[in-house]
C-alpha cells in the first residue's frame, strides 16, 4: 500500500467516524430538546444532522480524489478534495446563518425555560465533539486535507454552539423567567465564531483551486533536494501546487552543456525519483533540463 493510499484510508476512517458520532448525537440532542423544552438544543441537533451530510461530502471527495488518472482526467481527480472543502466551508457558513435565524426567531417568541437535565446532555455532547474535533483535525493535518479540516471545524463549531447553549440554559435556570431566552442569545453569539471559521476554510479551498503557491520554505526544500542529485549544477526555477492530498512540482535544472541527451534525461529522472521519494507527499514532477549558463528570465 502506497503512502497516498494510507492517507486516503486515514481520511476516510476519520470522516466515517464523524458521521457515526454525529448521527448518535443528533438524535440525542433533538429528543432531549423536544422533551426538555429547549429549541436551541433542537437546532443544535439539526446542525449535527447537517454535519453528517458534510462528512459524507468529505468522504465522497476523498474517494473520488483517490481515483487514478484516466482518459477523461489525465491529471487525476485530486481537485475533488478541494471541491469538497469548498462545499463543506459553504455549508459551515450556511449552518451559522441557519442557527442565527432560528435563534432570533426564538428570542422573539416567548417560551419556557429548558429543563435542567438538558445541561447534562450538553456536557456529554461538548466533550464528545471536542474529542472528535481533535481526532479529525489531527488526521487532516497529517494527510494535509483541507476538506477534512473543514469537517473537523464542523465538529468544533458544534461544540462551540453547545457550549453557548449550555451557558444560556444555565443562566435561564439560575436567573429565572426573565432569562428564558438566554440560551438563544448564546447560540446567536456562537454563530459569529462558526461563520469566522467557515470563511477561513473557504479561503483555503479557493487558494487550492486557484493553485496558490506552496507554504513558505517548501520550495526551498525541493530546490535543496534536487540540487543534491548528481549532475545537477543548479536549480533555475521551482514551482509547486497542491493537488488533492499531494503536491505537483515543476522544476528547471541546469546541467553541463556537454552532456548527451540521454545523460540529461537520466538526470531528470533522478531528480523526479528523488523528489517523489521524499516525505513531502509529491505525486508528480515535471523536470525541464537546461544547459548551465543559458537560463534567462521568463514571465510566470
Amino acid at each position: 500500500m502506497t503512502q497516498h493510499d494510507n492517507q486516503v484510508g486515514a481520511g476516510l476512517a476519520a470522516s466515517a467516524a464523524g458521521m457515526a458520532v454525529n448521527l448518535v448525537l443528533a438524535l440525542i440532542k433533538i429528543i432531549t430538546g423536544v422533551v426538555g423544552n429547549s429549541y436551541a438544543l433542537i437546532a443544535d441537533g439539526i446542525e449535527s444532522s447537517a454535519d453528517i451530510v458534510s462528512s459524507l461530502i468529505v468522504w465522497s471527495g476523498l474517494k473520488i480524489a483517490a481515483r487514478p488518472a484516466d482518459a477523461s482526467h489525465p491529471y487525476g481527480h485530486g481537485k475533488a478534495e478541494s471541491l469538497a472543502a469548498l462545499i463543506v466551508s459553504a455549508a459551515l457558513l450556511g449552518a451559522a446563518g441557519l442557527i442565527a435565524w432560528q435563534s432570533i426567531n426564538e428570542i422573539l417568541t416567548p417560551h419556557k425555560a429548558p429543563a435542567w437535565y438538558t445541561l447534562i446532555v450538553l456536557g456529554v455532547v461538548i466533550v464528545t465533539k471536542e474529542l472528535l474535533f481533535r481526532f479529525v483535525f489531527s488526521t487532516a493535518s497529517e494527510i494535509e486535507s483541507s476538506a477534512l479540516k473543514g469537517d473537523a471545524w464542523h465538529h468544533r463549531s458544534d461544540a462551540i454552539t453547545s457550549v453557548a447553549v449550555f451557558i444560556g440554559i444555565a443562566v435561564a435556570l439560575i436567573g429565572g423567567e426573565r432569562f428564558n431566552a438566554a440560551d438563544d442569545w448564546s447560540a446567536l453569539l456562537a454563530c459569529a465564531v462558526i461563520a469566522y471559521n467557515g470563511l477561513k476554510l473557504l479561503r483555503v479551498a479557493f487558494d487550492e483551486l486557484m493553485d496558490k503557491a506552496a507554504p513558505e520554505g517548501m520550495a526551498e526544500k525541493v530546490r535543496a533536494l534536487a540540487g543534491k542529485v548528481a549532475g545537477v549544477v543548479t536549480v533555475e526555477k521551482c514551482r509547486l501546487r497542491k493537488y488533492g492530498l499531494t503536491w505537483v512540482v515543476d522544476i528547471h535544472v541546469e546541467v553541463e552543456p556537454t552532456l548527451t541527451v540521454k545523460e540529461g534525461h537520466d538526470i531528470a529522472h533522478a531528480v523526479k525519483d528523488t523528489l517523489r521519494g521524499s516525505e513531502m507527499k509529491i505525486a508528480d514532477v515535471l523536470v525541464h533540463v537546461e544547459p548551465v549558463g543559458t537560463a534567462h528570465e521568463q514571465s510566470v
Side-chain angles (χ1 to χ4, degrees), residues 81-102:
E81 194 269 343
S82 299
L83 285 171
L86 189 69
I87 295 171
V88 170
S89 301
L92 198 59
L93 290 172
L98 178 62
I99 295 172
W101 179 81
Q102 291 170 332

Side-chain angles (χ1 to χ4, degrees), residues 155-202:
H155 299 316
R156 173 157 277 184
S157 73
D158 205 1
I160 291 171
T161 305
S162 296
V163 168
V165 174
F166 183 97
I167 294 172
I169 291 177
V171 170
L173 292 174
I174 296 171
E177 189 174 338
R178 290 174 52 199
F179 296 91
N180 282 352
D183 60 330
D184 302 309
W185 280 105
S186 297
L188 186 60
L189 292 174
C191 292
V193 178
I194 297 171
Y196 169 77
N197 286 301
L199 288 171
K200 187 166 66 173
L201 291 166
L202 192 66

Side-chain angles (χ1 to χ4, degrees), residues 69-284:
D70 54 34
S72 301
H73 303 85
Y75 293 99
H77 302 77
K79 290 293 185 182
E81 194 269 343
S82 299
L83 285 171
L86 189 69
I87 295 171
V88 170
S89 301
L92 198 59
L93 290 172
L98 178 62
I99 295 172
W101 179 81
Q102 291 170 332
S103 298
I104 292 172
N105 189 47
E106 279 299 295
I107 289 170
L108 298 175
T109 305
H111 58 281
K112 296 179 181 179
W116 63 269
Y117 53 79
T118 56
L119 292 177
I120 298 175
V121 172
L122 282 167
V124 174
V125 168
I126 291 166
V127 173
T128 303
K129 293 296 283 187
E130 179 61 21
L131 291 175
L132 185 59
F133 162 78
R134 296 188 182 195
F135 166 66
V136 176
F137 191 82
S138 175
T139 303
S141 298
E142 185 178 341
I143 68 175
E144 297 184 16
S145 170
S146 55
L148 198 58
K149 283 184 180 179
D151 202 24
W153 273 105
H154 262 286
H155 299 316
R156 173 157 277 184
S157 73
D158 205 1
I160 291 171
T161 305
S162 296
V163 168
V165 174
F166 183 97
I167 294 172
I169 291 177
V171 170
L173 292 174
I174 296 171
E177 189 174 338
R178 290 174 52 199
F179 296 91
N180 282 352
D183 60 330
D184 302 309
W185 280 105
S186 297
L188 186 60
L189 292 174
C191 292
V193 178
I194 297 171
Y196 169 77
N197 286 301
L199 288 171
K200 187 166 66 173
L201 291 166
L202 192 66
R203 180 177 179 179
V204 172
F206 268 122
D207 284 345
E208 290 183 3
L209 289 170
M210 296 298 292
D211 292 334
K212 183 181 178 180
E216 187 177 352
M218 189 170 180
E220 284 69 24
K221 290 181 181 179
V222 171
R223 283 177 174 272
L225 271 178
K228 292 179 181 178
V229 174
V232 174
V233 177
T234 186
V235 176
E236 191 266 325
K237 184 184 294 183
C238 178
R239 291 182 292 191
L240 297 89
R241 57 190 174 90
K242 195 158 186 287
Y243 198 77
L245 303 180
T246 58
W247 293 87
V248 176
V249 178
D250 296 324
I251 191 167
H252 291 206
V253 298
E254 295 186 351
V255 301
E256 292 295 341
T258 55
L259 296 181
T260 65
V261 173
K262 183 181 184 306
E263 289 171 330
H265 175 77
D266 290 342
I267 292 172
H269 260 288
V271 170
K272 182 174 182 177
D273 293 341
T274 297
L275 294 179
R276 292 187 65 184
S278 70
E279 297 180 352
M280 288 187 285
K281 302 172 184 174
I282 295 173
D284 197 16

